[in-house]
Amino acid sequence: MLHFSRWKTVFIWLIVLISAVIASPNLFTDKQLEGMPNWYKHNKVTLGLDLQGGSYIMLKVERSDIVKERLETIVGDVRAQLRDANIRYSGLAGNGQQIQVRITDPAQYEAAKNALKDLTLPVSVGTLTGGSVQEVTMSDGGDNVLRLNLTDAGIDYRLSSAVAQSIEVVRRRVDELGTTEPLIVRQGNDRIIVQVPGLQDPQRLKSLLNQTAKLSFRMVDTSMPVQEALNGRPPATDEILYSQDDPPVPYLVERRALVSGDNLVDAQASFNQQTNEPVVTFRFDSRGAQRFAQATQQNVGKPFAIVLDNQVISAPVIREPIVGGSGQISGNFTVQGANDLAVLLRAGALPATLTVVEERTVGPSLGSDSIHAGLTASAIGAIGVVLFMFIFYGFFGLLANIALVVNIVMLLAILSIIGSTLTLPGIAGIVLTIGMAVDSNVLIYERIREEVKAGKPLISSLENGFTRAFATIIDANLTTFIVACVLFYMGTGPVKGFAVTLAVGIVTTVFTAYTLTAWLFGVWVRRSRPKHLPKGIRTGMFDGKDIPFMKYRRIVFGITGVIMLTCLGGFMTKGLNLGIDFQGGSIIEVQSKSGPADIADIRERLSQLNLGEIQAQSFGSPDDVLIRIQAQEGGENAEQSAITMIRGELQDKYDFRRVEVVGPAVSGDLTVTSTIGIALAMIAIMIYIWFRFEWQFALGAIISMVHDVVFTIGLFVFLGIEFNLTSIAAILTIIGYSLNDTVVIYDRIRENLRRYKKMPLSMIIDVSLNQTLSRTILTGLTVMLALLSLYLFGGEVIRSFTFAMLFGVGIGVFSSIYIAAPVLIAFNLRPTSTDADDKDDQKANSISGKPAV
């Protein structure tokens, strides 16, 4: 194990060298990297929005819009088909997902069915999506009534197409803003995520994204006075639209468009040379220019309407044919309004309304503060762990610290290669990796000590230490890796960044702690030819304690049961202090522009907006205030309106550092996803432990996990800590750490079960717990040391997250010893030994406090 061939040595250090080169750009600022080659500077880890500022918006394509548009289209097609076939009809109307029409002449009923048959033909959607889909079905409604139904599959197809088209339109619109490296991706069936780093004006982005920008040129119907159409019923081919004037002016406009915005090839903001007012000039493609010229030639002297999003911008009279294929739109624009309209027209029309269902905005000042806090916490945590390992292990601790440094370098390199985005919880993942990375070294070192104490030669002890610890290291880290995968599946944004960092950290930890540390030991053995363990190892203080853990198991079970019932009772009666992730609403962090914030004034000003319950509290420094607004009854659009009102009320005295808005649709999804995530984590871990050990171990692990979850939820209930998506991440991380500890103990119990065939189970558990006591204490302390630095120096945003994990690490250690282990006795893992086993009992008593031989 300690002998490495030349090619293995080259391979190990080549990986370390490549990792160092790839990770090194993260040591420089963007300005310092300007002169560097592209392949080098592009390896820098991308910072998340919570670290560099910017906006995160989740958009939802409204299914109801798709249904409405398809309903109108099918109604128009039915009208056209029956009219072309000279079939008389009445009562043509659509409602819900159904259109019905009555055929006036029964003799024409079959002819009508044949005329409408084309509408029911399947639509080809490509081989990748299933070949074809039937959008419309036709049925007999009786009494000469035909019914056409929009199928759910057809609507799903149109919705999917609308999302794909919307992504491209949104991408073009965001690109027009000139922002750098925007991220626009699809999520689920009907949602789009837009992340724009460094964006200073999220309101403008939302305004651009939320407009459909459907431009069309239509004739104004002058055959009927508009007032008569308002008082009666307009012709079926017309509709009444209003202008943008104040008060708005009604127009009777033909539904059929002469030319649509699809034929536009360019639109630019400019000024009218005569009035010097902002206008938008446009230019058609050849087909659009031809159609526009033909329409204006045929309608000289008649008015036509320029319609944008069902509003008449202007309705000029056609004085002469417009054959040049270009024109201009005027309508009391501001300069920015003309620019924004030009952006919308160039980017194209959205097929449906996009509703903002979730918004998270971080100001650049808060982002820089978060970076500083994260780096400070990481540095202090790393220094604390390094000193801790050196104090307890001396020279061995020095080797572990070398492996730890390489571990962090490789972690940053992999994050750079896979293009991961580093978030503030991601930094927490790095700090947690620092704390947990030494666990593998501790396992190896304690195994080496046990072998030496058993009287084996040092070289043999070193070999056996690495070999025997390997299976335990893999088992312990795989359980945490399973949790990271579940977190990645169920998480969004920052939580997903934490999961990626945690998963990558596990991989690099196993490599550095096992392969690199073994190489360092090999070099030490070849050069020093040691005969004894080096001085400075101080973990012998935990040996020979002979603590009778199982003696008190019934008392501990009783106390633990009472506390768990109390936690469950509090959960049922008092409930959790749910954050906006689970009940919707808004959180706004503001900072006073001049001196300490006046919280009373903020409450008074916001209470006049009639937004329901509003909480304002100090947050961090005296200048900072955290404002919580309850979910608005009007849904997602009402949430956005509330934020706009609050901005208008407070922006004169306060800077908006962070805004988070979660609509009811998202909060409902997160509740379901979080529940599924915790259940999946428990099931996956139970299956793995069952596979690797026995069913009693699997059930013991599950009971231990339930214990940890209930205790942590009790912490949130009785301390009133806000329970949000990061709280779920904390619970899952606690489960992962607790299982890491439990698996180490289980691995030793299994080993001792094989070694001492007739030793009483309670004795075996006591022996195993005492043998792994040093590892349990040292690993728990290093992880808590790293988390403590995060809690003290990581900033307010993740303080509750790290506090929950600090508590959870302590609970995880307790449950591994007093829940997971003694449960094996309750499940009768080994029947109680009889009096005939006195010899084995005596043997057990003689070795209970000693290492395994």
Side-chain angles (χ1 to χ4, degrees):
M1 178 64 221
L2 299 181
H3 173 72
F4 285 82
S5 62
R6 183 170 296 177
W7 72 268
K8 282 185 179 180
T9 300
V10 171
F11 176 74
I12 291 171
W13 285 102
L14 185 62
I15 290 178
V16 174
L17 179 62
I18 293 174
S19 298
V21 171
I22 294 174
S24 59
N26 296 287
L27 299 174
F28 304 103
T29 64
D30 291 336
K31 200 171 212 180
Q32 292 171 329
L33 290 172
E34 284 180 358
M36 302 288 185
N38 287 334
W39 66 267
Y40 181 75
K41 63 183 179 183
H42 287 165
N43 283 327
K44 192 171 183 180
V45 174
T46 304
L47 297 180
L49 298 184
D50 54 351
L51 294 178
Q52 64 173 320
S55 291
Y56 166 99
I57 295 176
M58 182 185 290
L59 303 164
K60 180 182 179 182
V61 177
E62 294 296 339
R63 186 184 180 91
S64 58
D65 283 5
I66 303 297
V67 174
K68 181 181 177 183
E69 186 272 334
R70 291 304 299 153
L71 209 63
E72 291 178 354
T73 300
I74 298 299
V75 167
D77 291 342
V78 169
R79 181 182 291 113
Q81 295 282 61
L82 295 179
R83 190 172 292 172
D84 291 344
N86 293 319
I87 296 173
R88 290 178 295 169
Y89 63 90
S90 64
L92 176 60
N95 185 32
Q97 292 182 208
Q98 186 180 86
I99 302 108
Q100 69 176 26
V101 59
R102 183 184 301 277
I103 307 303
T104 307
D105 185 359
Q108 292 183 309
Y109 186 76
E110 289 300 323
K113 288 177 67 175
N114 290 329
L116 300 179
K117 189 176 181 180
D118 288 348
L119 299 179
T120 65
L121 295 177
V123 177
S124 175
V125 296
T127 56
L128 291 179
T129 52
S132 63
V133 63
Q134 187 169 14
E135 291 192 85
V136 180
T137 60
M138 186 163 53
S139 61
D140 188 349
D143 197 20
N144 297 323
V145 172
L146 283 174
R147 289 178 179 164
L148 291 91
N149 295 283
L150 302 180
T151 65
D152 289 336
I155 294 171
D156 290 341
Y157 159 66
R158 292 288 175 176
L159 180 63
S160 179
S161 300
V163 171
Q165 182 181 343
S166 297
I167 288 174
E168 295 306 315
V169 174
V170 167
R171 180 173 285 112
R172 289 196 293 268
R173 292 186 185 183
V174 172
D175 288 343
E176 289 285 352
L177 291 175
T179 57
T180 57
E181 297 183 357
L183 176 66
I184 302 162
V185 295
R186 179 175 189 155
Q187 185 176 58
N189 297 325
D190 59 354
R191 296 181 188 180
I192 302 168
I193 290 177
V194 182
Q195 293 187 27
V196 187
L199 183 66
Q200 301 296 314
D201 188 4
Q203 295 301 113
R204 186 182 178 200
L205 172 64
K206 287 191 293 182
S207 176
L208 286 175
L209 296 182
N210 208 27
Q211 295 184 36
T212 52
K214 291 183 178 179
L215 180 72
S216 61
F217 297 83
R218 312 187 204 175
M219 292 305 301
V220 176
D221 190 346
T222 56
S223 63
M224 174 187 289
V226 67
Q227 197 61 44
E228 182 181 336
L230 283 170
N231 296 333
R233 185 175 180 181
T237 56
D238 295 344
E239 63 179 328
I240 298 173
L241 300 178
Y242 291 86
S243 70
Q244 295 179 326
D245 302 315
D246 188 17
V249 178
Y251 289 90
L252 185 62
V253 180
E254 292 183 3
R255 293 180 184 272
R256 182 179 62 90
L258 301 174
V259 187
S260 71
D262 295 338
N263 298 116
L264 280 176
V265 294
D266 192 25
Q268 297 291 336
S270 62
F271 291 92
N272 187 309
Q273 295 181 352
Q274 298 178 346
T275 63
N276 205 34
E277 291 179 348
V279 295
V280 176
T281 61
F282 61 86
R283 182 165 54 86
F284 291 119
D285 58 17
S286 58
R287 183 184 177 188
Q290 183 180 0
R291 293 175 64 182
F292 194 59
Q294 183 180 1
T296 53
Q297 286 172 350
Q298 295 172 354
N299 294 283
V300 173
K302 297 179 181 179
F304 77 100
I306 302 174
V307 180
L308 178 68
D309 291 340
N310 289 325
Q311 282 190 308
V312 177
I313 294 178
S314 60
V317 175
I318 302 173
R319 302 297 181 188
E320 58 185 13
I322 303 174
V323 295
S326 62
Q328 70 179 24
I329 303 171
S330 59
N332 298 323
F333 294 121
T334 62
V335 173
Q336 182 167 312
N339 275 318
D340 288 348
L341 177 57
V343 167
L344 293 171
L345 296 179
R346 285 198 302 272
L350 286 168
T353 302
L354 295 179
T355 303
V356 179
V357 294
E358 184 180 2
E359 173 197 350
R360 301 183 190 271
T361 302
V362 177
S365 62
L366 180 59
S368 61
D369 289 349
S370 296
I371 293 175
H372 181 264
L375 291 177
T376 301
S378 300
I380 293 174
I383 292 171
V385 171
V386 165
L387 290 175
F388 187 89
M389 287 299 292
F390 187 74
I391 289 171
F392 273 95
Y393 284 105
F395 176 71
F396 280 10
L398 177 63
L399 299 184
N401 291 334
I402 293 173
L404 179 62
V405 172
V406 174
N407 185 6
I408 301 304
V409 171
M410 290 184 66
L411 173 58
L412 289 175
I414 293 177
L415 291 178
S416 301
I417 291 171
I418 65 178
S420 178
T421 300
L422 184 64
T423 60
L424 189 56
I427 292 179
I430 292 177
V431 175
L432 188 61
T433 299
I434 292 172
M436 294 182 68
V438 297
D439 176 56
S440 299
N441 293 102
V442 172
L443 282 169
I444 294 169
Y445 295 169
E446 291 306 300
R447 274 290 188 177
I448 292 172
R449 285 184 58 246
E450 289 181 13
E451 296 290 323
V452 171
K453 287 185 69 178
K456 294 184 180 180
L458 179 61
I459 304 302
S460 176
S461 298
L462 294 174
E463 292 275 0
N464 291 339
F466 276 93
T467 303
R468 292 190 174 184
F470 182 69
T472 306
I473 291 171
I474 294 298
D475 283 336
N477 282 284
L478 264 178
T479 54
T480 311
F481 189 81
I482 290 171
V483 169
C485 292
V486 173
L487 265 176
F488 182 82
Y489 156 75
M490 56 153 282
T492 59
V495 173
K496 194 166 275 192
F498 173 76
V500 170
T501 306
L502 187 62
V504 173
I506 291 168
V507 175
T508 56
T509 293
V510 172
F511 174 82
T512 54
Y514 192 70
T515 306
L516 181 62
T517 306
W519 185 89
L520 292 173
F521 268 86
V523 172
W524 171 63
V525 167
R526 286 196 303 273
R527 292 188 175 181
S528 302
R529 306 281 181 185
K531 301 296 182 184
H532 306 284
L533 285 175
K535 295 181 180 180
I537 299 177
R538 297 178 174 87
T539 56
M541 66 179 71
F542 301 108
D543 295 343
K545 296 302 179 185
D546 250 351
I547 302 174
F549 291 102
M550 294 304 97
K551 180 179 179 180
Y552 308 104
R553 67 179 185 276
R554 291 182 178 86
I555 298 175
V556 174
F557 274 174
I559 296 173
T560 302
V562 171
I563 296 175
M564 288 183 70
L565 288 174
T566 304
C567 292
L568 290 173
F571 174 73
M572 298 296 292
T573 56
K574 186 178 179 181
L576 291 166
N577 176 23
L578 295 176
I580 64 170
D581 290 330
F582 295 110
Q583 63 178 357
S586 307
I587 288 181
I588 304 171
E589 185 182 337
V590 297
Q591 186 176 64
S592 175
K593 294 179 179 179
S594 56
D598 189 343
I599 296 179
D601 178 62
I602 291 175
R603 289 174 180 154
E604 183 179 350
R605 294 171 70 176
L606 296 185
S607 63
Q608 300 172 3
L609 301 179
N610 297 320
L611 298 176
E613 183 183 353
I614 293 177
Q615 300 175 3
Q617 63 188 63
S618 181
F619 186 73
S621 72
D623 298 344
D624 298 329
V625 179
L626 192 69
I627 303 168
R628 303 174 191 271
I629 301 100
Q630 71 174 47
Q632 304 299 300
E633 293 182 358
E636 280 81 5
N637 292 328
E639 300 285 356
Q640 299 301 319
S641 300
I643 295 298
T644 302
M645 293 168 65
I646 292 171
R647 281 185 182 274
E649 187 66 33
L650 298 181
Q651 63 185 358
D652 58 331
K653 293 185 177 180
Y654 296 90
D655 291 323
F656 282 68
R657 287 162 62 87
R658 176 168 62 107
V659 176
E660 296 185 15
V661 183
V662 178
V666 173
S667 61
D669 291 349
L670 287 176
T671 302
V672 174
T673 305
S674 300
T675 305
I676 293 173
I678 292 177
L680 279 178
M682 288 188 171
I683 292 171
I685 289 170
M686 183 178 71
I687 292 172
Y688 178 77
I689 293 179
W690 197 332
F691 176 77
R692 287 287 292 140
F693 296 86
E694 295 179 37
W695 66 267
Q696 291 96 334
F697 289 96
L699 290 180
I702 288 295
I703 292 172
S704 175
M705 283 191 287
V706 171
H707 167 275
D708 296 341
V709 170
V710 171
F711 266 62
T712 307
I713 287 177
L715 176 78
F716 281 95
V717 169
F718 292 112
L719 295 186
I721 302 171
E722 182 181 298
F723 192 83
N724 49 34
L725 194 58
T726 58
S727 305
I728 296 291
I731 288 175
L732 284 171
T733 308
I734 290 165
I735 289 174
Y737 175 81
S738 176
L739 260 295
N740 182 298
D741 203 23
T742 299
V743 166
V744 171
I745 294 172
Y746 276 180
D747 189 75
R748 185 57 64 93
I749 292 173
R750 179 177 59 178
E751 182 180 330
N752 286 333
L753 280 168
R754 293 169 179 169
R755 181 169 296 157
Y756 310 118
K757 302 294 185 181
K758 296 180 181 180
M759 181 188 292
L761 182 58
S762 60
M763 186 72 69
I764 284 184
I765 293 175
D766 274 341
V767 170
S768 302
L769 290 174
N770 279 283
Q771 288 174 347
T772 57
L773 185 62
S774 57
R775 178 265 167 197
T776 300
I777 293 175
L778 292 175
T779 300
L781 286 176
T782 54
V783 173
M784 293 185 79
L785 193 64
L787 288 174
L788 186 63
S789 71
L790 263 181
Y791 178 74
L792 295 176
F793 307 105
E796 290 287 339
V797 177
I798 60 170
R799 183 154 291 171
S800 62
F801 171 67
T802 51
F803 178 72
M805 287 206 295
L806 264 171
F807 173 82
V809 168
I811 289 298
V813 171
F814 171 83
S815 67
S816 299
I817 294 174
Y818 272 113
I819 303 298
V823 158
L824 300 177
I825 300 175
F827 289 146
N828 201 24
L829 179 63
R830 170 181 287 182
T832 305
S833 59
T834 64
D835 294 338
D837 299 326
D838 286 342
K839 284 188 177 181
D840 295 296
D841 288 349
Q842 292 171 6
K843 182 179 178 181
N845 289 325
S846 69
I847 67 167
S848 60
K850 298 180 181 180
V853 179

